Amino acid sequence: MNFKKSKLVVLTIALLVFIVYSFYSSFHKKEIVKAQEVLTTVNENSSTPYETAIFAGGCFWHMEEAFEKLDGVLRVESGYTGGHKENPTYAEVGSETTGHLESVEVRYNPKQITYDNLLQVFWRNVDPTNADGQFVDRGNEYQSAVFYNSNEQKELVEASRDALVASNRFDKPIVTKISSASTFYKAEVEHQDYYKKNPISYKISELGSGRDAFLNKTWGKDREVKITAKTVINKDFNKEEKLKMLTKRQYNVTQNGIDEPPFNNEYWDNKEEGIYVDIVSGEPLFSSKDKFDAGTGWPSFTKPLEPNNIILKESSGFLSLTTQVRSRNADSFLGDVFKDGPKPTGLRYCINSAALQFIPKNELEQKGYGDYAELFNQQ
C-alpha cells in the first residue's frame, strides 16, 4: 500500500513538472517571437544601408545559427529558393518536386562585416564536395549553393571558391552551385529560430548529423573565422581606467546589468537639447530629439542616434525574454527595447541614466561632437 502511494506521488510530481515545463516552453517561444519582432522593427527603421546574402547549406536550422551569431548580421531567415514553385511549403520542398533548396537569407551591415567574411563562414559550415545533400540530410533540397545578388557578389563568391580549390583542403572536386538569386520564400514560422525555440531537439539533430565532426576534422583550428569590424568608433579609450572612475551605480548598471530605480535617476525628466553618449567610451547613442516621456521613470527614446553603436541581445529569465540594449564599443549594458513606443518606429528604448553622459547642444563642439550640432540647427 505504501509502495502504491509513493508511486502515485512520484507520478503526480512528474505530471506537474511536465505541465510546468510545457507552459514555460510555450511562453518562452512566444517571447522569442516578440523579441524578434522588435529586432525586425529596429532594422526597418534604421538608415543603415543593409545588404542581403543568400546561402544554401543543407538543413537551414543549422545554417541559421551559423550566421545569426555574427556581429554585423542583423537578421537571418530560413526559407526556400532556386526552384520554380511559388510559395512552396516545407513538405513540397521535401518532395523534391519544386527545385527549391533549403536556404537562409542573411541581412547584414557591410560597415561591420563583409560579404567575403560571410563566404568564409559559409565554406566552414558545409561539405562543398557533396552533390547529394549535406551530412545526414540527403536529397536535392539539401544541396549547397550560393545565390548572388549582384555582379560584385558573383565575382567575390567565384574568387572565394577558386581560392578554396587552390588550398587543396578537400581531395574531391568542389560542387557547390553558384547561381543568380531569385525569389526567396520565407519558411513557415516553426522553422524560424528553431535552434532557439527547440534547443534540446536541435542539439540532438546537430549531434546526429555528423556536421560538427566533419567540419572540425576538415578545418581544425581554422574553422573559426576571425572577423575584424570595418568601422571602429571611439577605440582610443582605456576601458580599465574609465571603469575606475564610475560611481557604484554606474558600474552596477553598465557592468552588472542592474537597473537603477525609476524616477530617481539623472535624466528621466531631462528636457534639455543635446545628445547622450556612453558613460564609459563616449560613443554617441541617443538624441534629445528622439526622447519622450513614457511615464516609466527612465529616459526613453524612439530610436538610436547611431544604430551602429548599438547592439541588441536577447536576454532570457525564468519566465521572460527581453531585448537587451548594449553599446558596441564599451559593451555597456544600457537598458532594454520594447515594441510599445510611439510612431514612427513604435519602439521604446528604455535606458538607464547611469549608463549615459549628456552633452548639451552648446557644448557639442567643445567636447568633440561638433558633427551633431547641425541636428539642433534644423527647424
Side-chain angles (χ1 to χ4, degrees), residues 62-331:
H62 301 280
M63 295 303 289
E64 189 179 43
E65 183 194 23
F67 288 105
E68 204 161 62
K69 65 185 180 182
L70 302 174
D71 282 343
V73 169
L74 295 230
R75 182 178 73 244
V76 181
E77 290 184 328
S78 294
Y80 319 106
T81 194
H84 52 79
K85 173 88 168 56
E86 291 187 4
N87 300 308
T89 65
Y90 181 76
E92 289 172 335
V93 173
S95 71
E96 299 188 30
T97 59
T98 68
H100 287 296
L101 306 184
E102 285 197 13
S103 310
V104 291
E105 184 181 67
V106 182
R107 280 289 271 175
Y108 67 99
N109 182 351
K111 292 183 178 180
Q112 293 174 238
I113 188 170
T114 66
Y115 184 67
D116 188 60
N117 290 151
L118 297 178
L119 287 170
Q120 296 307 317
V121 172
F122 169 75
W123 294 123
R124 286 162 172 78
N125 280 278
V126 297
D127 177 359
T129 67
N130 197 324
D132 300 321
Q134 287 292 293
F135 311 106
V136 75
D137 297 309
R138 319 310 297 164
N140 292 334
E141 74 271 29
Y142 294 120
Q143 293 176 346
S144 64
V146 179
F147 299 95
Y148 57 84
N149 288 297
S150 65
N151 286 332
E152 181 184 8
Q153 284 192 355
K154 180 183 179 183
E155 291 173 3
L156 286 169
V157 67
E158 289 176 344
S160 181
R161 175 204 55 198
D162 294 345
L164 186 63
V165 171
S167 73
N168 294 316
R169 190 173 291 274
F170 296 93
D171 54 10
K172 297 178 183 178
I174 303 298
V175 296
T176 295
K177 296 180 180 179
I178 299 175
S179 305
S180 176
S182 55
T183 304
F184 180 87
Y185 297 99
K186 187 175 177 180
E188 297 85 340
V189 66
E190 60 266 28
H191 295 296
Q192 306 301 330
D193 290 314
Y194 186 89
Y195 73 99
K196 295 179 183 177
K197 299 175 184 174
N198 305 277
I200 296 176
S201 58
Y202 172 76
K203 214 53 177 171
I204 293 172
S205 169
E206 185 178 44
L207 291 172
S209 71
R211 179 185 290 263
D212 267 349
F214 173 86
L215 296 174
N216 287 333
K217 181 180 178 181
T218 301
W219 290 95
K221 60 181 176 58
D222 296 326
R223 184 178 175 188
E224 184 180 352
V225 181
K226 304 295 183 183
I227 299 175
T228 303
K230 293 177 67 180
T231 302
V232 179
I233 303 171
N234 292 334
K235 273 290 184 184
D236 56 343
F237 79 100
N238 187 319
K239 183 173 181 178
E240 185 177 348
E241 290 302 314
K242 286 285 187 179
L243 293 181
K244 292 178 183 178
M245 300 167 62
L246 299 183
T247 65
K248 183 177 180 180
R249 175 181 287 189
Q250 290 170 337
Y251 189 92
N252 279 335
V253 168
T254 60
Q255 306 307 304
N256 297 326
I258 301 174
D259 287 317
E260 66 197 4
F263 302 103
N264 183 22
N265 55 78
E266 192 170 2
Y267 302 127
W268 76 272
D269 61 346
N270 182 34
K271 296 178 175 59
E272 192 175 353
E273 288 189 309
I275 68 171
Y276 295 83
V277 303
D278 185 278
I279 190 67
V280 179
S281 67
E283 53 199 306
L285 301 173
F286 299 97
S287 167
S288 61
K289 284 187 167 293
D290 306 309
K291 191 171 185 285
F292 70 101
D293 183 5
T296 62
W298 287 284
S300 297
F301 305 87
T302 57
K303 63 180 181 180
L305 174 62
E306 291 287 357
N308 284 338
N309 293 356
I310 292 289
I311 292 178
L312 301 181
K313 292 186 176 180
E314 291 171 0
S315 176
S316 57
F318 177 62
L319 285 178
S320 67
L321 186 107
T322 59
T323 306
Q324 198 178 88
V325 184
R326 305 187 72 90
S327 61
R328 175 170 300 280
N329 201 31
D331 191 32

